[in-house]
């Protein structure tokens, strides 16, 4: 099983949109996918059409109580299962404060889980607290979504450092495996420039032990359909299957699977189109 946490401690960069739509794309290509919503905002849960009340079993009960993953997991589409979140997950951080081994709870619950999946994907909150730590000790891979603006790389060094420490102390298999640009404005010079900076930044990191990082060719273009889909409670593939958003996430999922993306003309950078 591949296990991937989608992390960026900045909010609004496209984590949840990527977690939900990559999960849905992988499920549609026949992979059995379990998506875990680790964000108290429960955006991934809402995006997939579930609205829980406090009593409903959720990831909160997995982290703070006796619930197993199977107790709270729900199938939301063919091949796609969700471990949902509710706002009460925000309290977990405090409730677990005195607990020994609190950053290893999800890992242990996953080890006790009998169900087999091809992909485990975790949508993380915009912080590096105990919820994100539980994700980092559970997975083998981190995906980093970046929004191509001027401060895109701000804070990334801190995230890399956190990954390194968790890898050293708690989870030796952990590595940053993918970087993906989200909300890409394909016809702006800034996007092309930031894209180049990001690429250079990670080339520079490779000499420091980040040799496996893959900068995905597929850029997720800004597409209003992606922003509309959550309010219909479905992935982009049900809501707008012919949109750029659906095309981009299908392509990204192809790359995640190790296949070549089917690149569209608009994905090319302006400099490349002009010259
Ligand atoms: P995060 O999980 O990092 O906070 P989200 O995935 O929730 O980020 O995205 C932030 C907002 O931007 C959401 O309203 C989402 O619908 C919207 N959004 C995400 N990706 C795109 C995109 N490619 N084009 C347009 N809107 C997007
Ligand atoms: Mg989110």
């Amino acid at each position: 099983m591949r296990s991937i946490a989608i992390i960026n401690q900045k909010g609004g960069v496209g984590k949840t949109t990527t977690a939900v739509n990559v999960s849905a794309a992988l499920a549609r290509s026949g992979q059995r996918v379990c998506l875990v919503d680790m964000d108290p905002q429960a955006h991934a849960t809402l995006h997939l059409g579930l609205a829980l009340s406090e009593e409903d079993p959720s990831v909160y009960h997995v982290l703070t109580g006796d619930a197993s993953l199977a107790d709270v997991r729900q199938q939301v589409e063919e091949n796609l299962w969700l471990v949902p979140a509710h706002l009460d997950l925000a309290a977990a951080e405090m409730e677990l404060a005195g607990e020994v081994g609190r950053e290893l709870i999800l890992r242990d619950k996953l080890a006790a889980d009998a169900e087999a999946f091809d992909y485990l994907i975790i949508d993380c909150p915009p912080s590096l607290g105990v919820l994100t730590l539980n994700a980092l000790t559970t997975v083998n891979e981190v995906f980093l979504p970046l929004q191509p603006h001027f401060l895109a790389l701000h804070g990334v060094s801190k995230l890399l450092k956190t990954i390194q420490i968790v890898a050293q102390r708690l989870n030796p298999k952990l590595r940053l495996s993918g970087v993906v640009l989200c909300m890409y404005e394909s016809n702006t010079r800034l996007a092309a420039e930031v894209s180049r900076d990001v690429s250079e930044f990670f080339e520079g990191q490779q000499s420091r032990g980040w040799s496996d990082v893959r900068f995905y060719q597929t850029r997720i273009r800004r597409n209003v359909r992606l922003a509309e889909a959550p309010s219909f409670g479905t992935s982009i593939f049900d809501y707008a299957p012919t949109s750029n958003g659906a095309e981009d996430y299908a392509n990204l999922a192809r790359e995640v699977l190790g296949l070549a993306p089917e690149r569209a003309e608009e994905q090319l950078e302006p400099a490349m189109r002009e010259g």
Side-chain angles (χ1 to χ4, degrees):
M1 182 180 75
R2 276 181 76 183
S3 49
I4 303 165
I6 313 234
I7 303 191
N8 186 327
Q9 71 270 43
K10 222 181 274 186
V13 296
K15 287 184 292 298
T16 300
T17 308
T18 299
V20 166
N21 292 306
V22 167
S23 295
L26 290 169
R28 273 159 197 255
S29 70
Q31 307 291 318
R32 285 167 60 85
V33 181
C34 178
L35 172 63
V36 180
D37 189 351
M38 281 292 261
D39 186 351
Q41 296 174 98
H43 286 166
T45 301
L46 295 167
H47 198 327
L48 285 168
L50 295 186
L52 304 190
S53 67
E54 210 168 311
E55 304 80 51
D56 293 325
S58 71
V59 71
Y60 170 81
H61 302 98
V62 172
L63 293 175
T64 64
D66 292 331
S68 68
L69 285 168
D71 291 337
V72 312
R73 188 164 46 219
Q74 298 192 35
Q75 184 163 13
V76 286
E77 278 181 28
E78 193 182 350
N79 288 329
L80 181 57
W81 285 260
L82 175 72
V83 174
H86 176 268
L87 219 58
D88 61 6
L89 184 56
E93 191 116 11
M94 285 261 278
E95 286 177 36
L96 292 172
E99 192 116 346
V100 177
R102 61 186 171 279
E103 55 282 279
L104 300 172
I105 300 169
L106 186 66
R107 183 196 73 175
D108 291 349
K109 297 264 171 136
L110 183 70
D113 190 35
E115 194 80 30
F117 295 98
D118 299 305
Y119 280 86
L120 177 81
I121 303 213
I122 307 183
D123 184 31
C124 290
S127 70
L128 297 176
V130 75
L131 298 171
T132 298
L133 279 173
N134 265 276
L136 286 172
T137 57
T138 301
V139 300
N140 295 344
E141 300 177 50
V142 173
F143 275 16
L144 172 66
L146 291 176
Q147 201 185 343
H149 63 57
F150 155 71
L151 287 171
L153 289 166
H154 185 77
V156 169
S157 298
K158 172 152 195 229
L159 176 60
L160 295 184
K161 186 92 205 147
T162 304
I163 294 171
Q164 227 155 18
I165 292 171
V166 173
Q168 273 162 16
R169 296 187 188 158
L170 296 163
N171 180 10
K173 292 207 187 105
L174 185 67
R175 66 196 173 91
L176 175 65
S177 69
V179 177
V180 57
L181 289 182
C182 295
M183 291 179 246
Y184 193 79
E185 317 242 13
S186 42
N187 49 7
T188 68
R189 199 154 283 280
L190 178 67
E193 276 169 22
V194 172
S195 171
R196 205 187 44 234
D197 288 352
V198 170
S199 171
E200 279 170 13
F201 177 82
F202 284 100
E203 274 162 30
Q205 295 295 322
Q206 299 204 335
S207 55
R208 271 168 259 160
W210 298 99
S211 52
D212 303 340
V213 188
R214 185 135 166 239
F215 186 21
Y216 286 109
Q217 265 182 54
T218 305
R219 285 81 184 264
I220 309 301
R221 287 166 286 183
R222 189 175 278 286
N223 178 229
V224 69
R225 298 280 175 244
L226 286 169
E228 292 165 358
S231 52
F232 292 85
T234 65
S235 79
I236 193 66
F237 302 104
D238 273 325
Y239 175 63
T242 59
S243 62
N244 285 350
E247 184 181 295
D248 292 348
Y249 276 111
N251 264 331
L252 180 61
R254 283 180 62 85
E255 283 197 81
V256 171
L257 286 164
L259 304 169
E262 288 163 354
R263 277 190 109 194
E265 180 63 21
E266 294 88 324
Q267 290 266 8
L268 298 176
E269 282 165 22
M272 290 165 75
R273 264 190 272 153
E274 284 157 22

